[in-house]
Amino acid sequence: MLTDLKLYSLANISIKPYLHLSTMPNPKGNPQNFEPAQPKGEEPMTATISFRATEKMKEEVKAQEDPPEFCRQAIQEKLDKDKKK
């Protein structure tokens, strides 16, 4: 019986720090972060586009308030302009 009590005590000592860490909230995690992003337009944005740019262009785009939206608007403006030709 004493042996069982010692094992139980040792188990509690080693489990307590683990339980304490696992019950702490993750400062970078938030349940709302796991919800799908709401599209800003009428259609859901499910496709991605990747292209090469100069370092200067990249810096200027990154300096914008909302870089992805800036790029989407610029591309849409060019598409609209080309349709009118």
Side-chain angles (χ1 to χ4, degrees), residues 5-76:
L5 183 58
K6 284 182 182 179
L7 288 176
Y8 181 73
S9 297
L10 290 174
N12 280 341
I13 291 169
S14 64
I15 290 175
K16 281 183 182 179
Y18 172 75
L19 291 176
H20 176 70
L21 291 175
S22 66
T23 58
M24 290 177 59
N26 182 352
K28 294 182 181 178
N30 193 344
Q32 291 85 12
N33 292 346
F34 298 113
E35 295 175 7
Q38 297 298 322
K40 293 183 179 182
E42 298 167 1
E43 298 180 41
M45 296 182 204
T46 57
T48 59
I49 298 176
S50 177
F51 58 90
R52 293 188 183 273
T54 64
E55 196 63 37
K56 183 179 177 184
M57 287 175 64
K58 180 181 175 184
E59 290 172 11
E60 289 178 5
V61 169
K62 292 284 185 180
Q64 300 297 317
E65 186 176 322
D66 186 1
E69 187 61 27
F70 175 81
C71 291
R72 283 189 285 270
Q73 288 175 358
I75 292 168
Q76 190 61 56

Side-chain angles (χ1 to χ4, degrees), residues 72-85:
R72 283 189 285 270
Q73 288 175 358
I75 292 168
Q76 190 61 56
E77 286 176 16
K78 177 65 174 158
L79 291 171
D80 293 345
K81 183 179 174 185
D82 288 350
K83 278 185 183 178
K84 291 180 182 178
K85 286 186 178 180

